[in-house]
Amino acid sequence: MWICILDRTHGGMRQTLSNAPLTHPLLSTNRLYSPLWSFTPTGFVVGHAGLLQGLVMLLVAYTIISLTILSICAISTNGAVQGGGAYFMISRSLGPEFGGSIGLMFFLAKVCACGVYVLGLVEAILDIFGQDPVSASALRVLPQGYWYTVLYSSIVLLLVLLVCLVGAHIFARTSFLILLVVTISLLSIYISPMALTTPLNFLISHQGPGNQTLTYNASYTGFNGTTLRDNLGSSYTVDYSTGKVMSFASVFAVMFTSCTGIMAGANMSGELKNPSAAIPKGTITAVLYTCIVYVLLFILASSTCERTLLVQDYGFFQRINIWPPFVTIGIYCSALSAAMCSLIGASRILHALALDQLFGFPLAPAAITSSSGNPWVAVLYTWGLAQCVVFAGQLNAIAGLVTVFYLLAYAAVDLACLALEWASAPNFRPTFQVFSWHTCLLGILSCLVMMFVINPVYSSASIILLLLLLLFLHYRSPTSSWGYISQALIFHQVRKYLLMLDVRKDHVKFWRPQVLLMVANPRSSCQLINFVNQLKKGGLFVLGHVKLGDLDTLPSDPVQQQYNFWLSLVDKLGVKAFVDLTLSPSVRQGTQHLLRITGLGGMKPNTLVLGFYDSCTPEDYFLQDPAFYESEEAGGDDFGVDLPSLQAHFPPVRHVESPRWLTPEEYVGIISDAIKMSKNVCLGRYFFQLQGESMGTKMDGAERIIDVWPLNLLRPGSTSAASVDVCSLFLLQMACVLNMASRWRHARMRIFLCVEAESSDQGWVVKEETFRELLRKLRIRASIKIVPWDSVVQLYGQKQTQDAELGELGLMRPAPALSEDFLSAVNCLLMEHSAQAAVRFLYLPRPPTHSSQSQQYLSQLEAVTQGLGPTLLIHGLTPVTCTEL
């Protein structure tokens, strides 16, 4: 048992801990998990395992708890530790979900432990003072029975409640007095063998199988070399209290239960003046103190008592004491101290849970404190639950569950320290340096192993309960401001793997789209954002935005204040995207900045996606999706951005928003800049008409069609169906990537090949077979559609002839313009064959080199795609297809 002493010194609190091992002569009836048995397993361990194996068990047990103590000391010296002890350490390190789960389980373990200690104390009192028809002793005056046990336990628990309600200062003084009494009792145990030099014989009787009485002749020899030699080795036999044959594992499990309780002082962290200094000193002192006590008791028992006495009477210390009441009084004081320590420790954990509001209204009153800071409501909560435990009566099984919960909390502390160490955060600078990640990891493993050694069923159940609480808190608890160790660990791992991601080792086999999507106003771009999220194929996806302005004329950077709104938008849309914002005098310069600096290492955008430049009135997506206007969502997200704030930050879409701040020359210049930087370019038009791309939208079951036009429709003579260029292959790859996405997996892909039927009777058949062979090598499943476009090519040829005649007269312009008839014919061709498609992929010609032709270039693109529906114009520069294994 661990006794926590809190003594006021110079206006603060000084912590001392002691694990005071005592025994009682009549604990055999409830030995295995009796609370009083845990005071000392001396007779049980030495009697069955012998001195040598007993010392080995002691060494292993204290090694295990010492590993956790190192973690406790490291965390407690890394900053200010407030109330809640282990819960506070775990929650501030691993987050509210893990901390709240472990904290609640640790609280329940403390409550059960309090009830077990009270029942154990009452049992010990009744063993001496309870009425017994066999014995007519004048001391045995207390009636016995279930309800009498509940009555006596309730009185003791009420006494414990009164001490804890008054406050920590009374508890500290009471615990200090108890420590003195326990120390005197221990001294009497050590002194007695020196005073009792005459050998003593005892007749010990037990109830055996078939109600027969078994009698044993046991001897106390005093200090004797022969007795010590006989007790060195092991002699595992039947445990008289359970009737089971003991083994090393079963004895060690019982031995280990008496060593738990190392957080008794840490749980009182809120009552300490300087917890960072008191917790390490008090905990380490307690461990050393109790370890020495146990070693001396083991040596004392094995040197003075025969094995029969050790294994047939676990309360033999009272038989060989100079004044037997010393042991009895020590047991009473130890049990009372343990009950008080459990009650006040549990109340502090509950108070900390209530302050953090992790479990909502049911625990809210526990946050109330008195004028002196005593959480009296939490104390009453704890007392009420402990009273329920008292009504349960026999609690040996619950005592085993308590130990398992304790070990789970210890493993969580080790895990918290391990995570902090592995994260390598600069602010993790504990003044206690005697630890490493090796000790933390070994502590976790040893605690988990001991859980299953003690009770596999309880261990499995406790882990399941922990997972359920984790899930509950994950979906219920608000985001905390404590900092997330998971973020630090992710950063550490991502940095490590980014350094390993070498761009010089890139191969076309493993190419994937890494997209920078420029967004002016997300109200009109949400459908395009959702579509590109499907198109990224596990690659990088970045939403880019340029804020117009000059930092020299501004008091602060306005971009930094906008990140939360954009990140909340990403959360609302449910897309896997990053956000990168920049401040620039022009959109073109800002886009150049983002193309150069977005990403890190081998994760940088290789594809730029832009919305189409036209004068169409954009649709307001915020007015279409219920998630953006339903009042029930007005509560906001976990980072302080509510729905009204999100809507106000992005102004409504109006017709006057046609890009006055972006000229045609600047827009085409952005495309040219991206191509100069070897970035692929995609222009998206009419994506506000695309259905079924938003998060949670259910598909209606209709088959969707993806149409691909891989040839340059504005330059009929530039490519042929039999010979496609890099841009055409890139376009095919992007369409195939979309077809692999979850929402497009069942879509049907069609590829259209434009041929001149009059040029050769069978030429188009050869072209189709050649292209089909290409698709087979590229492993692209699609149907090929042959489209005759002789009439369209004739219109193109007429325009070229006219331009040639003008050139002979010296009237040639910088670049030939395409006739409106030709552009209209191309548009009609697309409308005729792709009217039913859900999305269309078209070849994007290279932009003109002269800025004076930018408007003409955009007009041509607008004319070709007029009224088509969702269309993606693509100009690819990167080789992305591979036919090799």
Side-chain angles (χ1 to χ4, degrees), residues 160-167 370 374-377 379-380:
V160 173
L161 171 66
L162 294 176
V163 173
C164 295
L165 278 179
V166 173
S370 64
N374 186 31
W376 61 273
V377 178
V379 174
L380 290 176

Side-chain angles (χ1 to χ4, degrees), residues 781-830:
R781 291 181 296 178
S783 59
I784 298 177
K785 304 293 182 181
I786 301 299
V787 179
W789 70 330
D790 300 73
S791 59
V792 177
V793 174
Q794 287 178 0
L795 293 173
Y796 178 78
Q798 292 175 3
K799 182 61 178 176
Q800 299 302 310
T801 302
Q802 294 174 3
D803 289 336
E805 292 175 353
L806 291 173
E808 292 176 358
L809 298 175
L811 300 176
M812 185 67 183
R813 290 173 290 179
L818 300 176
S819 67
E820 293 184 3
D821 292 339
F822 170 72
L823 296 174
S824 176
V826 173
N827 178 255
C828 290
L829 184 72
L830 293 171

Side-chain angles (χ1 to χ4, degrees), residues 493-542:
Q493 293 301 108
V494 167
R495 180 193 64 84
K496 181 175 71 174
Y497 287 114
L498 276 176
L499 291 173
M500 297 170 62
L501 191 61
D502 192 343
V503 294
R504 296 169 296 181
K505 299 178 181 178
D506 284 346
H507 194 278
V508 65
K509 289 191 299 184
F510 308 111
W511 180 91
R512 67 181 70 236
Q514 305 205 87
V515 182
L516 171 63
L517 172 61
M518 298 301 299
V519 180
N521 190 336
R523 281 181 177 264
S524 58
S525 307
C526 286
Q527 289 288 46
L528 182 58
I529 293 173
N530 285 317
F531 176 77
V532 175
N533 185 60
Q534 294 286 316
L535 196 63
K536 67 182 187 302
K537 187 54 180 175
L540 181 68
F541 182 22
V542 181

Side-chain angles (χ1 to χ4, degrees), residues 391-406:
F391 276 105
Q394 298 295 327
L395 293 173
N396 294 335
I398 294 181
L401 184 61
V402 168
T403 302
V404 169
F405 277 9
Y406 280 176

Side-chain angles (χ1 to χ4, degrees), residues 350-572:
L350 181 63
H351 177 63
L353 286 168
L355 289 177
D356 291 336
Q357 301 178 351
L358 297 184
F359 293 93
F361 177 76
L363 298 186
I368 300 173
T369 61
S370 64
S371 58
S372 61
N374 186 31
W376 61 273
V377 178
V379 174
L380 290 176
Y381 264 57
T382 308
W383 169 79
L385 292 175
Q387 185 66 54
C388 295
V389 173
V390 165
F391 276 105
Q394 298 295 327
L395 293 173
N396 294 335
I398 294 181
L401 184 61
V402 168
T403 302
V404 169
F405 277 9
Y406 280 176
L407 286 171
L408 196 59
Y410 301 164
V413 173
D414 287 318
L415 178 61
C417 190
L418 177 66
L420 290 170
E421 179 68 10
W422 273 354
S424 301
N427 282 322
F428 183 58
R429 302 188 297 269
T431 56
F432 184 86
Q433 294 289 331
V434 189
F435 78 100
S436 69
W437 69 267
H438 304 84
T439 62
C440 300
L441 184 59
L442 190 58
I444 296 172
L445 296 176
S446 59
C447 287
L448 293 178
V449 169
M450 278 309 306
M451 285 171 54
F452 285 91
V453 169
I454 291 173
N455 195 308
V457 176
Y458 286 163
S459 300
S460 302
S462 65
I463 293 175
I464 293 174
L465 176 60
L466 174 63
L467 294 177
L468 293 176
L469 289 173
L470 279 171
L471 290 175
F472 171 77
L473 289 177
H474 176 73
Y475 290 105
R476 189 251 171 252
S477 66
T479 300
S480 69
S481 59
W482 309 332
Y484 289 85
I485 190 63
S486 59
Q487 295 297 303
L489 289 172
I490 291 171
F491 176 87
H492 185 270
Q493 293 301 108
V494 167
R495 180 193 64 84
K496 181 175 71 174
Y497 287 114
L498 276 176
L499 291 173
M500 297 170 62
L501 191 61
D502 192 343
V503 294
R504 296 169 296 181
K505 299 178 181 178
D506 284 346
H507 194 278
V508 65
K509 289 191 299 184
F510 308 111
W511 180 91
R512 67 181 70 236
Q514 305 205 87
V515 182
L516 171 63
L517 172 61
M518 298 301 299
V519 180
N521 190 336
R523 281 181 177 264
S524 58
S525 307
C526 286
Q527 289 288 46
L528 182 58
I529 293 173
N530 285 317
F531 176 77
V532 175
N533 185 60
Q534 294 286 316
L535 196 63
K536 67 182 187 302
K537 187 54 180 175
L540 181 68
F541 182 22
V542 181
L543 299 182
H545 176 73
V546 179
K547 174 75 175 178
L548 296 179
D550 187 354
L551 193 59
D552 291 338
T553 63
L554 298 172
S556 61
D557 185 4
V559 167
Q560 300 303 320
Q561 304 170 2
Q562 298 186 15
Y563 270 98
N564 271 0
F565 294 98
W566 283 86
L567 293 174
S568 296
L569 173 72
V570 168
D571 293 338
K572 183 73 70 174

Side-chain angles (χ1 to χ4, degrees), residues 805-860:
E805 292 175 353
L806 291 173
E808 292 176 358
L809 298 175
L811 300 176
M812 185 67 183
R813 290 173 290 179
L818 300 176
S819 67
E820 293 184 3
D821 292 339
F822 170 72
L823 296 174
S824 176
V826 173
N827 178 255
C828 290
L829 184 72
L830 293 171
M831 292 287 291
E832 178 184 355
H833 294 279
S834 289
Q836 303 302 319
V839 66
R840 301 144 194 86
F841 287 75
L842 303 184
Y843 190 114
L844 175 67
R846 183 180 287 270
T849 56
H850 300 286
S851 60
S852 59
Q853 295 179 306
S854 298
Q855 183 63 60
Q856 174 186 302
Y857 175 74
L858 291 177
S859 298
Q860 294 174 358

Side-chain angles (χ1 to χ4, degrees), residues 55-333:
L55 292 177
V56 170
M57 292 180 184
L58 199 63
L59 177 64
V60 174
Y62 271 87
T63 299
I64 292 174
I65 64 173
S66 296
L67 293 172
T68 301
I69 288 171
L70 297 180
S71 300
I72 294 174
C73 295
I75 296 177
S76 63
T77 59
N78 188 54
V81 180
Q82 300 176 16
Y87 159 71
F88 184 86
M89 296 180 192
I90 297 170
S91 61
R92 268 51 177 183
S93 299
L94 299 181
E97 295 91 350
F98 210 91
S101 303
I102 293 293
L104 182 61
M105 294 175 68
F106 200 40
F107 164 74
L108 294 176
K110 283 284 184 182
V111 169
C112 292
C114 179
V116 170
Y117 290 139
V118 169
L119 285 170
L121 174 57
V122 171
E123 177 190 341
I125 293 174
L126 293 177
D127 284 338
I128 303 299
F129 300 102
Q131 291 180 353
D132 188 351
V134 178
S135 174
S137 173
L139 295 176
R140 294 185 174 274
V141 294
L142 297 178
Q144 297 197 58
Y146 169 76
W147 288 109
Y148 282 109
T149 300
V150 171
L151 175 62
Y152 303 147
S153 300
S154 300
I155 294 173
V156 173
L157 193 59
L158 182 62
L159 175 63
V160 173
L161 171 66
L162 294 176
V163 173
C164 295
L165 278 179
V166 173
H169 62 285
I170 296 297
F171 169 76
R173 294 172 183 174
T174 305
S175 298
F176 183 73
L177 293 176
I178 291 176
L179 176 63
L180 294 179
V181 175
V182 171
T183 302
I184 294 173
S185 300
L186 283 171
L187 290 176
S188 72
I189 292 175
Y190 294 133
I191 295 173
S192 294
M194 302 177 187
L196 300 176
T197 58
T198 304
L200 301 174
N201 294 318
F202 307 101
L203 288 178
I204 303 174
S205 299
H206 298 303
Q207 197 75 23
N211 292 327
Q212 60 178 334
T213 301
L214 303 177
T215 303
Y216 300 92
N217 187 12
S219 300
Y220 162 78
T221 64
F223 288 105
N224 188 290
T226 302
T227 303
L228 177 61
R229 185 166 53 254
D230 293 340
N231 289 329
L232 288 178
S234 61
S235 179
Y236 295 104
T237 184
V238 177
D239 174 23
Y240 69 85
S241 63
T242 62
K244 298 179 181 179
V245 178
M246 294 293 101
S247 63
F248 183 92
S250 59
V251 173
F252 180 62
V254 176
M255 165 69 211
F256 189 82
T257 58
S258 64
C259 299
T260 56
I262 55 177
M263 291 186 182
N267 291 332
M268 298 294 296
S269 55
E271 314 297 334
L272 303 174
K273 179 181 180 181
N274 187 5
S276 297
I279 290 175
K281 292 179 181 178
T283 307
I284 293 174
T285 301
V287 169
L288 294 176
Y289 173 79
T290 56
C291 184
I292 293 172
V293 168
Y294 274 125
V295 170
L296 293 178
L297 287 177
F298 281 19
I299 295 175
L300 178 66
S302 59
S303 302
T304 60
C305 300
E306 290 183 348
R307 191 179 296 272
T308 303
L309 179 60
L310 297 177
V311 299
Q312 298 302 331
D313 184 5
Y314 302 139
F316 67 94
F317 275 130
Q318 189 177 34
R319 294 181 182 268
I320 62 173
N321 199 278
I322 53 175
W323 192 53
F326 269 136
V327 178
T328 303
I329 295 172
I331 288 175
Y332 294 168
C333 291

